[in-house]
Amino acid sequence: MSGPGAPRAAGEPRAAGDPRAERTREKLRQALLAECAERPLAEVSVSAVVRRAGLGRATFYLHHEDLQSLAVDACAEVARRAVDALHAWRGVPDPAAPPPALAAFLADTAAHVALYRSLLRPGGSGPLGELLNRELRERSRSERELAGARHADLVASAVAAAFTGVLADWLDDRVEGTPESVAGDVWRLLIALHRAVP
């Protein structure tokens, strides 16, 4: 059974590898991001998203349970870029040399501040905050374990919470600085967290 009255069950496959399904999901993602660039996520409706995407409500519910599910899907690429930017270094990390990809990521978020403020609320909540925290925590934990460092879970939680919170508060003008200066500051902060528990 399908349609708005019977949303896809959690964990149910989404026809992975089906190019038509992926094109539809991409239309929905882009429509949501376009809506969020104009108004907070809380004010966005399914009707507005499907109208902008040129799709029907039934099609929406074939792929997502609700707008929160779509928002998490739409944020996945942003979270991946953030995590990759924080890990774009080799050898021993230098506190004085943050990865250039980190400043580039921050500059991109600043250029689309209305969108990211809608998805990442002060303190690090919201669909992007929750996803970013989870993805960054997992990457930090696995890399710390590979390095043989102790307290991988503790440090990974601290790193994920610190970066997500700083990013959210910077976008909300609670933390001052240019993308370059914030990249340097947050880079030193994260290295200090890793080194605080050897």
Side-chain angles (χ1 to χ4, degrees):
M1 186 172 178
S2 62
R8 183 186 56 79
E12 182 180 320
R14 294 182 179 176
D18 181 345
R20 290 175 300 173
E22 180 51 37
R23 283 194 296 270
T24 297
R25 288 193 292 272
E26 181 60 18
K27 284 182 180 179
L28 290 169
R29 286 191 289 264
Q30 292 306 316
L32 178 71
L33 294 176
E35 288 291 320
C36 287
E38 298 175 1
R39 60 186 58 82
L41 178 61
E43 297 176 12
V44 175
S45 66
V46 171
S47 296
V49 170
V50 296
R51 185 168 51 249
R52 189 181 285 263
L55 300 168
R57 287 178 69 90
T59 300
F60 176 92
Y61 287 107
L62 283 173
H63 297 278
H64 294 286
E65 297 176 358
D66 50 28
L67 280 176
Q68 180 76 13
S69 167
L70 173 57
V72 170
D73 189 24
C75 290
E77 175 64 14
V78 179
R80 184 196 62 75
R81 288 193 296 114
V83 173
D84 286 349
L86 282 168
H87 292 85
W89 53 272
R90 293 289 179 268
V92 178
D94 181 356
L102 179 55
F105 170 77
L106 293 175
D108 181 65
T109 58
H112 302 91
V113 68
L115 167 61
Y116 292 119
R117 277 180 179 167
S118 179
L119 300 170
L120 177 61
R121 293 188 283 277
S125 63
L128 176 55
E130 293 165 10
L131 183 61
L132 178 55
N133 188 293
R134 184 168 63 249
E135 295 289 329
L136 183 54
R137 183 184 185 282
E138 180 56 30
R139 176 80 75 88
S140 297
R141 184 191 60 75
S142 64
E143 292 203 355
R144 192 168 174 88
E145 286 180 344
L146 283 173
R150 298 184 305 127
H151 306 296
D153 286 330
L154 172 67
V155 175
S157 291
V159 165
F163 180 76
T164 304
V166 169
L167 176 62
D169 287 353
W170 177 63
L171 291 171
D172 199 53
D173 295 327
R174 298 179 181 208
V175 171
E176 296 182 356
T178 65
E180 293 75 17
S181 67
V182 172
D185 291 341
V186 78
W187 180 243
R188 286 187 291 276
L189 172 63
L190 298 184
I191 289 176
L193 287 172
H194 273 286
R195 292 179 176 175
V197 186

